[in-house]
Amino acid sequence: MPIANLSIMEGRNEEQIAALIEAVTEAIHTSLSAPRENIRVIVSEVPRSHWGIAGKSAKELGKH
């Protein structure tokens, strides 16, 4: 059972996350010939204040 564990910066809406899950599922299905019903996708949202870029938080850098 393939499992994709994705970490993304907070701020996406439910529709965007649903589209991401669908696209990742399709990519795994296509590339590995895995049945869709066996694929799991876990999306973890990370607060911008906990996402580091070049020694600063994304929040400090104004990243979205």
Side-chain angles (χ1 to χ4, degrees):
M1 170 179 3
I3 300 172
N5 195 346
L6 309 173
S7 296
I8 63 171
M9 201 178 307
E10 67 183 351
R12 276 62 172 210
N13 62 41
E14 288 187 22
E15 291 80 17
Q16 290 171 311
I17 293 173
L20 175 62
I21 291 170
E22 184 177 341
V24 170
T25 299
E26 187 59 29
I28 292 171
H29 168 71
T30 300
S31 62
L32 300 180
S33 298
R36 286 179 183 86
E37 60 272 10
N38 290 347
I39 299 168
R40 306 294 184 264
V41 179
I42 301 164
V43 179
S44 301
E45 290 188 280
V46 179
R48 294 182 318 127
S49 60
H50 295 176
W51 191 284
I53 304 168
K56 298 198 181 274
S57 74
K59 183 176 181 178
E60 288 176 282
L61 295 172
K63 301 286 185 184
H64 299 283

Coordinates of all heavy atoms in Angstrom, one line a residue:
M1 N 0.8 -1.2 0.0 CA 0.0 0.0 0.0 C 0.9 1.2 0.0 O 1.6 1.5 1.0 CB -0.9 0.0 1.2 CG -1.6 1.3 1.4 SD -2.8 1.4 2.9 CE -2.6 -0.1 3.7
P2 N 0.9 2.0 -1.1 CA 1.7 3.2 -1.1 C 1.1 4.3 -0.2 O -0.1 4.5 -0.2 CB 1.7 3.7 -2.6 CG 1.2 2.5 -3.4 CD 0.4 1.7 -2.4
I3 N 2.0 5.0 0.5 CA 1.6 6.1 1.4 C 2.4 7.3 1.0 O 3.7 7.2 1.0 CB 1.8 5.7 2.9 CG1 0.9 4.5 3.2 CG2 1.4 6.9 3.7 CD1 1.2 4.0 4.6
A4 N 1.8 8.4 0.7 CA 2.5 9.6 0.4 C 2.2 10.6 1.6 O 1.0 10.8 1.9 CB 2.0 10.3 -0.9
N5 N 3.3 11.0 2.2 CA 3.1 11.9 3.4 C 3.7 13.3 2.9 O 4.9 13.4 2.7 CB 4.0 11.3 4.5 CG 3.6 12.0 5.8 OD1 3.0 13.0 5.9 ND2 4.1 11.4 6.9
L6 N 2.8 14.2 2.8 CA 3.1 15.6 2.3 C 3.0 16.6 3.4 O 2.1 16.6 4.1 CB 2.2 16.0 1.2 CG 2.0 14.9 0.1 CD1 0.8 15.4 -0.9 CD2 3.2 14.7 -0.7
S7 N 4.0 17.5 3.5 CA 4.0 18.6 4.4 C 3.9 19.9 3.5 O 4.7 20.1 2.6 CB 5.3 18.7 5.2 OG 5.4 17.6 6.0
I8 N 2.9 20.7 3.8 CA 2.7 21.9 3.0 C 2.5 23.0 4.0 O 2.1 22.8 5.2 CB 1.5 21.8 2.0 CG1 0.2 21.6 2.8 CG2 1.7 20.7 1.0 CD1 -1.0 21.8 1.9
M9 N 2.9 24.2 3.6 CA 2.7 25.4 4.4 C 1.2 25.7 4.5 O 0.4 25.5 3.5 CB 3.4 26.6 3.8 CG 3.7 27.7 4.8 SD 4.6 29.1 4.0 CE 6.0 28.3 3.3
E10 N 0.7 26.1 5.7 CA -0.7 26.4 5.9 C -1.2 27.5 4.9 O -0.4 28.2 4.4 CB -0.9 26.9 7.3 CG -0.2 28.2 7.6 CD -0.4 28.7 9.0 OE1 -1.1 28.1 9.8 OE2 0.2 29.7 9.4
G11 N -2.5 27.5 4.7 CA -3.1 28.5 4.0 C -3.9 28.1 2.7 O -4.5 28.9 2.1
R12 N -3.9 26.8 2.4 CA -4.7 26.3 1.3 C -6.1 26.0 1.8 O -6.3 25.6 2.9 CB -4.1 25.1 0.7 CG -3.0 25.3 -0.3 CD -1.8 25.9 0.2 NE -0.7 26.0 -0.7 CZ 0.6 25.9 -0.3 NH1 0.9 25.8 1.0 NH2 1.5 26.0 -1.2
N13 N -7.1 26.2 0.9 CA -8.4 25.8 1.3 C -8.7 24.3 1.0 O -7.9 23.6 0.5 CB -9.4 26.7 0.5 CG -9.4 26.6 -1.0 OD1 -9.3 25.4 -1.5 ND2 -9.5 27.7 -1.7
E14 N -9.8 23.9 1.5 CA -10.2 22.5 1.4 C -10.2 22.0 -0.1 O -9.8 20.8 -0.3 CB -11.5 22.2 2.1 CG -11.4 22.3 3.6 CD -12.7 21.8 4.3 OE1 -13.5 21.1 3.7 OE2 -12.8 22.2 5.5
E15 N -10.7 22.8 -1.0 CA -10.7 22.4 -2.4 C -9.3 22.2 -2.9 O -9.1 21.2 -3.7 CB -11.5 23.4 -3.2 CG -13.0 23.5 -2.9 CD -13.3 24.3 -1.7 OE1 -12.5 25.1 -1.2 OE2 -14.4 24.2 -1.1
Q16 N -8.4 23.0 -2.6 CA -7.0 22.9 -3.1 C -6.4 21.6 -2.5 O -5.7 20.9 -3.2 CB -6.2 24.1 -2.7 CG -6.6 25.4 -3.4 CD -5.9 26.6 -2.9 OE1 -5.9 26.8 -1.7 NE2 -5.3 27.4 -3.8
I17 N -6.6 21.3 -1.2 CA -6.0 20.1 -0.6 C -6.7 18.9 -1.2 O -6.0 17.9 -1.5 CB -6.2 20.2 0.9 CG1 -5.3 21.3 1.5 CG2 -5.8 18.8 1.5 CD1 -5.5 21.5 2.9
A18 N -8.0 18.9 -1.5 CA -8.6 17.8 -2.2 C -8.1 17.6 -3.5 O -7.8 16.4 -4.0 CB -10.1 18.0 -2.2
A19 N -7.8 18.6 -4.3 CA -7.2 18.5 -5.6 C -5.8 17.9 -5.5 O -5.4 17.1 -6.4 CB -7.2 19.9 -6.3
L20 N -5.0 18.3 -4.5 CA -3.7 17.8 -4.3 C -3.8 16.3 -4.0 O -3.0 15.5 -4.6 CB -3.0 18.5 -3.1 CG -1.6 18.0 -2.7 CD1 -0.6 18.1 -3.8 CD2 -1.2 18.8 -1.5
I21 N -4.6 15.9 -3.2 CA -4.8 14.5 -2.8 C -5.2 13.7 -4.1 O -4.6 12.6 -4.3 CB -5.9 14.3 -1.7 CG1 -5.3 14.8 -0.4 CG2 -6.3 12.8 -1.6 CD1 -6.3 14.9 0.7
E22 N -6.1 14.2 -4.9 CA -6.5 13.5 -6.1 C -5.3 13.4 -7.1 O -5.1 12.4 -7.7 CB -7.6 14.3 -6.7 CG -8.2 13.6 -8.0 CD -9.4 14.4 -8.6 OE1 -10.0 15.2 -7.9 OE2 -9.7 14.2 -9.8
A23 N -4.5 14.5 -7.3 CA -3.4 14.5 -8.2 C -2.3 13.6 -7.8 O -1.7 12.8 -8.6 CB -2.9 15.9 -8.4
V24 N -2.0 13.5 -6.5 CA -1.0 12.7 -6.0 C -1.4 11.2 -6.1 O -0.6 10.3 -6.5 CB -0.6 13.0 -4.5 CG1 0.3 12.0 -3.9 CG2 0.1 14.4 -4.5
T25 N -2.6 10.9 -5.8 CA -3.2 9.6 -5.9 C -3.1 9.1 -7.4 O -2.6 8.0 -7.7 CB -4.7 9.5 -5.5 OG1 -4.7 9.9 -4.1 CG2 -5.3 8.1 -5.7
E26 N -3.4 10.0 -8.3 CA -3.3 9.6 -9.7 C -1.9 9.4 -10.2 O -1.6 8.5 -10.9 CB -4.0 10.7 -10.6 CG -4.1 10.4 -12.1 CD -4.9 9.1 -12.3 OE1 -5.8 8.8 -11.6 OE2 -4.6 8.4 -13.3
A27 N -1.0 10.2 -9.7 CA 0.4 10.1 -10.0 C 1.0 8.7 -9.5 O 1.7 8.0 -10.3 CB 1.3 11.2 -9.5
I28 N 0.6 8.4 -8.3 CA 1.1 7.1 -7.8 C 0.5 5.9 -8.5 O 1.1 5.0 -8.9 CB 0.8 7.0 -6.3 CG1 1.7 8.0 -5.5 CG2 1.0 5.6 -5.8 CD1 1.3 8.2 -4.0
H29 N -0.8 6.1 -8.8 CA -1.5 5.0 -9.6 C -0.9 4.8 -10.9 O -0.6 3.7 -11.3 CB -3.0 5.4 -9.7 CG -3.7 4.6 -10.7 ND1 -4.0 3.2 -10.5 CD2 -4.2 4.9 -12.0 CE1 -4.7 2.8 -11.6 NE2 -4.8 3.7 -12.5
T30 N -0.6 5.9 -11.6 CA 0.0 5.8 -13.0 C 1.4 5.3 -12.9 O 1.8 4.4 -13.7 CB 0.0 7.2 -13.6 OG1 -1.4 7.7 -13.7 CG2 0.6 7.2 -15.0
S31 N 2.2 5.8 -12.0 CA 3.7 5.5 -12.0 C 3.9 4.1 -11.5 O 4.9 3.4 -11.9 CB 4.5 6.5 -11.3 OG 4.1 6.6 -9.9
L32 N 3.1 3.6 -10.5 CA 3.4 2.3 -9.9 C 2.3 1.3 -10.2 O 2.5 0.1 -9.7 CB 3.4 2.5 -8.3 CG 4.4 3.5 -7.7 CD1 4.2 3.5 -6.2 CD2 5.8 3.0 -8.1
S33 N 1.3 1.6 -11.0 CA 0.2 0.7 -11.3 C -0.5 0.2 -10.0 O -1.0 -0.9 -10.0 CB 0.7 -0.5 -12.2 OG 1.2 0.0 -13.4
A34 N -0.4 1.0 -9.0 CA -1.1 0.7 -7.7 C -2.6 1.0 -7.9 O -3.0 2.0 -8.4 CB -0.5 1.5 -6.6
P35 N -3.4 0.1 -7.3 CA -4.9 0.3 -7.3 C -5.2 1.6 -6.5 O -4.6 1.8 -5.4 CB -5.5 -0.9 -6.7 CG -4.4 -2.0 -6.8 CD -3.1 -1.2 -6.8
R36 N -6.0 2.5 -7.0 CA -6.3 3.7 -6.3 C -6.8 3.5 -4.9 O -6.5 4.2 -4.0 CB -7.4 4.5 -7.1 CG -6.8 5.2 -8.3 CD -7.9 5.9 -9.1 NE -7.4 6.5 -10.3 CZ -7.3 5.8 -11.4 NH1 -7.8 4.6 -11.5 NH2 -6.9 6.4 -12.5
E37 N -7.6 2.4 -4.7 CA -8.1 2.1 -3.4 C -7.1 1.7 -2.3 O -7.4 1.7 -1.1 CB -9.3 1.1 -3.4 CG -8.8 -0.3 -4.0 CD -8.9 -0.4 -5.5 OE1 -9.2 0.7 -6.2 OE2 -8.8 -1.5 -6.0
N38 N -5.9 1.4 -2.8 CA -4.8 1.0 -1.9 C -3.9 2.2 -1.6 O -2.9 2.1 -0.8 CB -4.0 -0.1 -2.5 CG -4.7 -1.4 -2.5 OD1 -5.8 -1.6 -1.9 ND2 -4.2 -2.4 -3.2
I39 N -4.1 3.3 -2.2 CA -3.2 4.5 -2.0 C -3.7 5.4 -0.9 O -4.9 5.7 -0.8 CB -3.1 5.3 -3.4 CG1 -2.5 4.4 -4.5 CG2 -2.3 6.6 -3.2 CD1 -2.6 5.0 -5.9
R40 N -2.8 5.8 -0.1 CA -3.1 6.7 1.0 C -2.3 8.0 0.8 O -1.1 7.9 0.5 CB -2.7 6.1 2.4 CG -3.4 4.8 2.7 CD -4.9 4.9 2.7 NE -5.5 3.6 3.1 CZ -6.1 2.8 2.2 NH1 -6.0 3.0 0.9 NH2 -6.6 1.7 2.6
V41 N -2.9 9.1 1.1 CA -2.2 10.4 1.0 C -2.5 11.2 2.3 O -3.6 11.3 2.7 CB -2.7 11.3 -0.2 CG1 -2.0 12.6 -0.3 CG2 -2.4 10.5 -1.5
I42 N -1.4 11.5 3.0 CA -1.5 12.3 4.2 C -1.0 13.7 4.0 O 0.2 13.8 3.6 CB -0.7 11.6 5.4 CG1 -1.3 10.1 5.5 CG2 -0.8 12.4 6.7 CD1 -0.3 9.3 6.3
V43 N -1.8 14.7 4.3 CA -1.4 16.1 4.1 C -1.3 16.7 5.5 O -2.3 16.8 6.2 CB -2.3 16.9 3.2 CG1 -1.9 18.3 3.1 CG2 -2.5 16.2 1.8
S44 N -0.1 17.2 5.8 CA 0.1 17.9 7.1 C 0.4 19.4 6.8 O 1.2 19.7 6.0 CB 1.3 17.3 7.8 OG 1.1 15.9 8.1
E45 N -0.4 20.2 7.4 CA -0.2 21.7 7.2 C 0.7 22.2 8.3 O 0.5 21.9 9.5 CB -1.5 22.4 7.2 CG -2.3 22.1 6.0 CD -3.5 23.1 6.0 OE1 -4.5 22.7 6.7 OE2 -3.5 24.1 5.2
V46 N 1.8 22.9 7.9 CA 2.8 23.4 8.9 C 2.5 24.9 9.0 O 2.5 25.6 8.0 CB 4.2 23.1 8.4 CG1 5.2 23.7 9.3 CG2 4.4 21.6 8.2
P47 N 2.4 25.5 10.2 CA 2.3 26.9 10.3 C 3.5 27.6 9.7 O 4.6 27.2 9.8 CB 2.3 27.1 11.9 CG 1.9 25.8 12.5 CD 2.5 24.8 11.5
R48 N 3.2 28.8 9.1 CA 4.3 29.6 8.5 C 5.4 29.9 9.5 O 6.6 30.0 9.1 CB 3.7 30.9 7.9 CG 2.8 30.6 6.7 CD 2.2 31.8 6.0 NE 1.8 32.8 6.9 CZ 2.3 34.1 6.8 NH1 3.1 34.5 5.8 NH2 1.8 35.0 7.6
S49 N 5.1 30.1 10.8 CA 6.1 30.4 11.8 C 7.0 29.2 12.1 O 8.0 29.3 12.7 CB 5.4 30.8 13.1 OG 4.5 29.8 13.6
H50 N 6.6 28.0 11.6 CA 7.4 26.8 11.9 C 8.1 26.3 10.6 O 8.6 25.2 10.6 CB 6.5 25.6 12.4 CG 5.9 26.0 13.7 ND1 5.1 25.1 14.4 CD2 6.1 27.0 14.6 CE1 4.7 25.6 15.5 NE2 5.3 26.8 15.7
W51 N 8.0 27.0 9.5 CA 8.5 26.7 8.2 C 9.8 27.5 8.0 O 9.7 28.7 7.8 CB 7.5 26.9 7.1 CG 7.9 26.3 5.8 CD1 8.8 26.8 4.9 CD2 7.3 25.1 5.2 NE1 8.8 26.0 3.8 CE2 7.9 25.0 3.9 CE3 6.3 24.2 5.6 CZ2 7.6 23.9 3.1 CZ3 6.0 23.2 4.8 CH2 6.6 23.0 3.5
G52 N 11.0 26.9 8.1 CA 12.2 27.7 8.0 C 12.7 27.8 6.5 O 12.7 26.8 5.8
I53 N 13.2 29.0 6.2 CA 13.8 29.2 4.9 C 15.0 30.1 5.1 O 14.9 31.2 5.6 CB 12.8 29.9 3.9 CG1 11.6 29.1 3.7 CG2 13.5 30.2 2.5 CD1 10.4 29.9 3.0
A54 N 16.2 29.6 4.8 CA 17.4 30.3 5.0 C 17.6 30.9 6.4 O 18.0 32.1 6.5 CB 17.6 31.4 3.9
G55 N 17.2 30.2 7.4 CA 17.4 30.7 8.7 C 16.3 31.6 9.3 O 16.4 32.0 10.4
K56 N 15.3 31.8 8.6 CA 14.2 32.6 9.0 C 12.9 31.9 8.8 O 12.8 31.0 7.9 CB 14.2 34.0 8.3 CG 15.4 34.8 8.6 CD 15.1 36.2 8.2 CE 16.4 37.1 8.4 NZ 16.5 37.5 9.8
S57 N 11.8 32.2 9.5 CA 10.5 31.6 9.3 C 9.9 32.2 8.0 O 10.1 33.3 7.7 CB 9.6 31.7 10.5 OG 9.1 33.1 10.6
A58 N 9.0 31.4 7.4 CA 8.3 31.9 6.3 C 7.4 33.1 6.7 O 7.2 34.0 5.9 CB 7.4 30.8 5.7
K59 N 6.9 33.1 7.9 CA 6.1 34.2 8.4 C 7.0 35.5 8.4 O 6.5 36.5 7.9 CB 5.6 33.9 9.8 CG 4.7 35.0 10.3 CD 4.1 34.5 11.6 CE 3.2 35.6 12.2 NZ 2.5 35.2 13.4
E60 N 8.2 35.4 8.9 CA 9.1 36.5 9.0 C 9.4 37.0 7.5 O 9.5 38.3 7.3 CB 10.4 36.2 9.6 CG 10.4 36.0 11.1 CD 11.8 35.5 11.6 OE1 12.1 34.3 11.5 OE2 12.5 36.4 12.1
L61 N 9.5 36.1 6.6 CA 9.9 36.5 5.2 C 8.7 36.9 4.4 O 8.8 37.3 3.3 CB 10.6 35.3 4.6 CG 11.9 34.9 5.2 CD1 12.4 33.6 4.5 CD2 12.9 36.0 5.0
G62 N 7.4 36.8 5.0 CA 6.2 37.2 4.3 C 5.8 36.2 3.2 O 5.1 36.5 2.3
K63 N 6.3 34.9 3.3 CA 6.0 33.9 2.3 C 4.6 33.3 2.6 O 4.1 33.2 3.7 CB 7.0 32.7 2.4 CG 8.4 33.1 2.2 CD 8.6 33.4 0.7 CE 10.1 33.7 0.5 NZ 10.4 34.1 -0.9
H64 N 3.9 33.0 1.5 CA 2.6 32.4 1.6 C 2.5 31.0 1.0 O 3.1 30.6 0.1 CB 1.6 33.3 0.8 CG 1.5 34.6 1.4 ND1 0.8 35.0 2.5 CD2 2.0 35.8 1.0 CE1 0.9 36.3 2.8 NE2 1.7 36.8 1.8

